[in-house]
Amino acid sequence: MATAAHMLSPLPQMSRAVAEWVNSVRELTRPRAIHWCEGSDAEAREITAQLVRSGELKTLNADFFPGCQLARSAPNDVARVEHLTYICTRSEEDAGPNNHWMDPQQAHAKMRELFRGCMRERTLYVIPYCMGPIDSPLSRCGVEITDSPYVVLNMLIMTRAGRPALERIAREGSFVRGLHSTGELDPERRFIMHFPEELSIESFGSGYGGNALLGKKCHALRIASWQARSEGWLAEHMLIVGLQNPRGETHYLACAFPSACGKTNLAMLIPPASLPGWRVFTVGDDIAWLHPGEDGRLWAINPEAGYFGVVPGTNPQTNRNAYEMIRRDTLFTNVALTADNQPWWEGLTSGTPTIDWQGRPYDPTRGPAAHPNSRFTVTARRNPSYSPHSEDARGVPITGLVFGGRRREVAPLVYEARDWQHGVMVGASVASETTAAAVGQVGVTRRDPMAMQPFCGYNFGDYWQHWLSLGAKLAQPPRIYHVNWFRRDAAGKFLWPGYGENLRVLAWMLDRCAGKAGARDAAIGRLPRPADLDTRGLDIRPEALAQLLSVDPLLWRNEVAEIRAYLARYGRRLPAALLSELAATEQRLG
Ligand code: OXD
Ligand code: MN
């Protein structure tokens, strides 16, 4: 008797468009074999076993970390490479000053030479994937072709990959084409090219997640932001979190922060004991696709199915959910090891590293044991605070949008925008200190509008206009906030405890949206007075709180001048509304 598996159609026969594309890539790259990904657990187990046999993965101590593996990247391939990431539109102005641009024909020609014959002796994997719940009209599909089995394992966790995605592609006909090869990992021969007009991506020379898992930053942000503008929605670098108050009501916030600023921690926040009755549900930790609903509200889905998070700093105090979540069935990249083969990273309060992230005996004089951008890849379903609404086809309704950056000074703990248009200006002015998530200097303050500087697939001027137009159509737009958990005192000490205590700030926002919390009108927006925040049980000095909620007119006049100089780069594409919002802020500052 035929089994169910025998009755399924062979994957290569399901979509002619995909098969033809795979064929043309095969002719160019000359692989030894082709593997179409089914997306089954057995397939993931088989690929894992193969990588363990070849030494590319190391199985971790199964008593403490069952089902966990360690991958080590090339030491020169540990982060996103923004300087080698291009948007290739016919007109340079469409890519904008926020992107590196290359003419599409020139880019294709360059990449064709890199890809020519690059998969000889390697297997070509075809990964059909769906970004978002498989049955949601808001989801979009893609196919990644890669010669990296490590990428396959990550994509199987991070997306809904395999047969169901290919079935949807065959039905819909359209999909994003992503071609990836790790090449020789030579930084001189490394490029991440995006062709939004063709809905395609070409990535060569890196195996790092942000450069190589093409469903994530490349598709779900850069290409999707372009698609979203033409289709009337938003693709944003935002976590989505549900907060259930002690009355049992749940509201959702979507929050944009630059890379490695604590999005995963905020998405999985553990309420402090002194705020009883609150519950937190994670819908997403990195990307939100936001659609205007028929009811005039904004609705969000998380296009991803897993987390690719920064490991260092994760411990039971900072993020107990993540700490529990990554204790099984997790793929670690570039962490250190203890003598008994457990993963180890800076910020872990137990264990001792003996082998560093490069596989060398650990020597503290050579720097941290785990790479500062070492990562975990794990399915979202392992998160103890996983929201069952993550799978809702229509998404979750958004009550508030939050922007934030990592700033030692200037930005207060929190403020509320006066309205949508003012909120777009607040988002456009986000600045943050750089982190290890991208190659380059760490700790330098740079403008990172909407936390999308590395991810917006088109001219920011057009993007802000799209935000303004979309908001104008919403009958019930979310309120917009700005937060800064990272403000420091004169001695360099953080003024706010952060982590679970951030719930106090989020609770103030939700009470504002419900018309229940007070605020004072300041030049930059509305701020809570100390008494407006619930600080019961919080160990904070009144002077620290006053400082956190203060706005220094001198610093802010300087900030406004810097924002104006930054926005001027967008010339005639800059919406006039942003400049008038800035002028009004300046006037209020006196
Ligand atoms: C990420 C990033 O990995 O933003 O999420 O770099
Ligand atoms: Mn991110």
Side-chain angles (χ1 to χ4, degrees):
M1 205 174 73
T3 62
H6 288 132
M7 293 186 300
L8 296 173
S9 10
L11 294 169
Q13 285 170 25
M14 286 172 60
S15 156
R16 190 138 155 212
V18 176
E20 281 175 5
W21 178 53
V22 170
N23 219 13
S24 68
V25 172
R26 181 180 59 78
E27 277 167 20
L28 177 67
T29 60
R30 301 275 160 204
R32 180 191 54 194
I34 297 189
H35 175 115
W36 288 70
C37 293
E38 278 280 353
S40 66
D41 291 346
E43 178 180 55
R45 274 196 304 274
E46 174 51 37
I47 296 173
T48 303
Q50 187 188 311
L51 290 183
V52 170
R53 280 195 300 275
S54 69
E56 286 162 82
L57 284 184
K58 191 172 171 45
T59 300
L60 297 173
N61 186 321
D63 292 334
F64 297 101
F65 287 85
C68 293
Q69 312 291 334
L70 167 65
R72 292 196 183 106
S73 75
N76 68 8
D77 186 34
V78 290
R80 286 184 292 100
V81 282
E82 292 175 13
H83 59 297
L84 302 173
T85 298
Y86 288 79
I87 299 295
C88 310
T89 41
R90 283 191 297 273
S91 141
E92 181 169 0
E93 219 189 333
D94 286 344
N98 45 307
N99 282 302
H100 299 294
W101 173 84
M102 199 180 289
D103 170 74
Q105 279 186 7
Q106 193 191 336
H108 279 309
K110 190 180 196 58
M111 298 305 279
R112 209 171 302 120
E113 287 323 303
L114 293 173
F115 280 117
R116 196 180 296 288
C118 72
M119 297 191 189
R120 277 202 180 92
E121 305 311 317
R122 296 188 185 180
T123 297
L124 177 159
Y125 294 89
V126 183
I127 317 167
Y129 63 85
C130 177
M131 300 310 292
I134 194 81
D135 57 352
S136 168
L138 313 181
S139 302
R140 296 286 181 277
C141 291
V143 176
E144 174 163 359
I145 294 181
T146 179
D147 57 7
S148 162
Y150 165 80
V151 165
V152 176
L153 289 182
N154 277 275
M155 285 291 286
L156 291 176
I157 297 171
M158 295 301 295
T159 71
R160 282 93 172 163
R163 181 173 289 275
L166 191 55
E167 276 163 4
R168 182 167 169 161
I169 290 170
R171 256 192 337 268
E172 290 181 338
S174 94
F175 63 98
V176 170
R177 287 157 205 246
L179 173 54
H180 167 256
S181 169
T182 35
E184 317 84 20
L185 297 171
D186 174 358
E188 299 298 319
R189 285 162 53 82
R190 180 175 294 166
F191 293 99
I192 326 295
M193 303 285 195
H194 303 76
F195 305 88
E197 288 150 338
E198 303 165 20
L199 301 186
S200 77
I201 305 155
E202 294 177 4
S203 167
F204 188 90
S206 167
Y208 172 72
N211 304 323
L213 312 182
L214 300 186
K216 192 173 177 64
K217 304 299 187 179
C218 302
H219 176 163
L221 287 174
R222 298 196 189 97
I223 298 289
S225 60
W226 175 285
Q227 272 183 307
R229 180 172 57 137
S230 58
E231 297 173 7
W233 48 283
L234 294 167
E236 297 300 323
H237 191 203
M238 290 179 172
L239 65 92
I240 308 164
V241 66
L243 302 169
Q244 184 184 309
N245 65 24
R247 291 183 299 281
E249 301 150 354
T250 303
H251 287 278
Y252 295 89
L253 298 174
C255 315
F257 295 88
S259 308
C261 280
K263 279 210 297 299
T264 306
N265 293 343
L266 190 63
M268 300 176 190
L269 179 150
I270 307 268
S274 51
L275 289 183
W278 283 86
R279 291 190 66 190
V280 173
F281 297 98
T282 315
V283 178
D285 82 325
D286 195 39
I287 300 178
W289 285 358
L290 303 157
H291 290 253
E294 276 166 15
D295 60 358
R297 292 189 290 176
L298 205 50
W299 291 73
I301 60 164
N302 170 16
E304 301 191 281
Y307 310 120
F308 178 67
V310 176
V311 187
T314 307
N315 66 44
Q317 280 72 47
T318 58
N319 189 339
R320 194 172 70 228
N321 283 327
Y323 181 75
E324 298 296 336
M325 171 176 84
I326 62 180
R327 297 192 78 81
R328 62 185 321 140
D329 301 331
T330 299
L331 177 49
F332 289 91
T333 303
N334 289 342
V335 293
L337 287 176
T338 61
D340 66 347
N341 211 26
Q342 294 190 51
W344 193 92
W345 53 87
E346 275 68 19
L348 205 58
T349 40
S350 58
T352 314
T354 54
I355 304 287
D356 76 6
W357 65 275
Q358 296 188 55
R360 306 172 302 188
Y362 173 53
D363 171 357
T365 63
R366 284 199 288 223
H371 189 276
N373 194 33
S374 50
R375 296 280 174 152
F376 57 74
T377 318
V378 63
T379 173
R381 290 172 190 280
R382 280 221 23 88
N383 174 7
S385 63
Y386 177 71
S387 165
H389 296 292
S390 307
E391 289 297 329
D392 285 5
R394 64 179 190 159
V396 294
I398 297 297
T399 300
L401 296 176
V402 183
F403 295 113
R406 183 186 282 271
R407 304 280 310 259
R408 293 175 159 260
E409 45 185 24
V410 184
L413 177 63
V414 59
Y415 61 102
E416 180 185 75
R418 308 167 84 83
D419 54 26
W420 181 273
Q421 178 170 301
H422 179 228
V424 175
M425 195 276 282
V426 168
S429 334
V430 166
S432 194
E433 293 154 22
T434 49
T435 68
V439 169
Q441 220 183 333
V442 171
V444 185
T445 303
R446 73 166 182 183
R447 292 279 147 208
D448 193 349
M450 277 82 172
M452 284 286 279
Q453 166 54 47
F455 307 122
C456 181
Y458 64 102
N459 190 318
F460 261 153
D462 299 335
Y463 168 79
W464 295 320
Q465 184 53 55
H466 177 48
W467 263 81
L468 292 168
S469 313
L470 188 131
K473 287 191 212 124
L474 292 173
Q476 298 182 67
R479 288 206 195 190
I480 299 181
Y481 296 87
H482 186 284
V483 299
N484 176 20
W485 316 130
F486 302 96
R487 192 139 153 190
R488 304 203 197 197
D489 65 14
K493 220 172 137 273
F494 287 112
L495 284 162
W496 180 248
Y499 301 109
E501 305 295 352
N502 293 339
L503 179 58
R504 298 172 192 277
V505 175
L506 306 183
W508 174 76
M509 292 174 189
L510 294 186
D511 281 346
R512 288 287 300 161
C513 295
K516 289 190 190 142
R520 74 181 173 93
D521 236 324
I524 61 168
R526 300 191 178 112
L527 277 87
R529 292 156 299 203
D532 294 321
L533 281 183
D534 185 348
T535 52
R536 278 172 297 170
L538 178 67
D539 181 19
I540 190 164
R541 286 174 301 114
E543 314 82 73
L545 195 56
Q547 201 179 337
L548 278 163
L549 297 176
S550 65
V551 177
D552 181 331
L554 209 66
L555 287 180
W556 269 94
R557 274 197 287 276
N558 189 42
E559 178 78 2
V560 167
E562 279 181 19
I563 296 167
R564 183 174 287 119
Y566 170 76
L567 293 180
R569 297 171 58 199
Y570 295 88
R572 63 192 181 93
R573 299 247 181 156
L574 178 69
L578 293 196
L579 286 181
S580 54
E581 286 295 338
L582 206 54
T585 304
E586 195 165 41
Q587 223 169 26
R588 288 191 296 267
L589 282 164

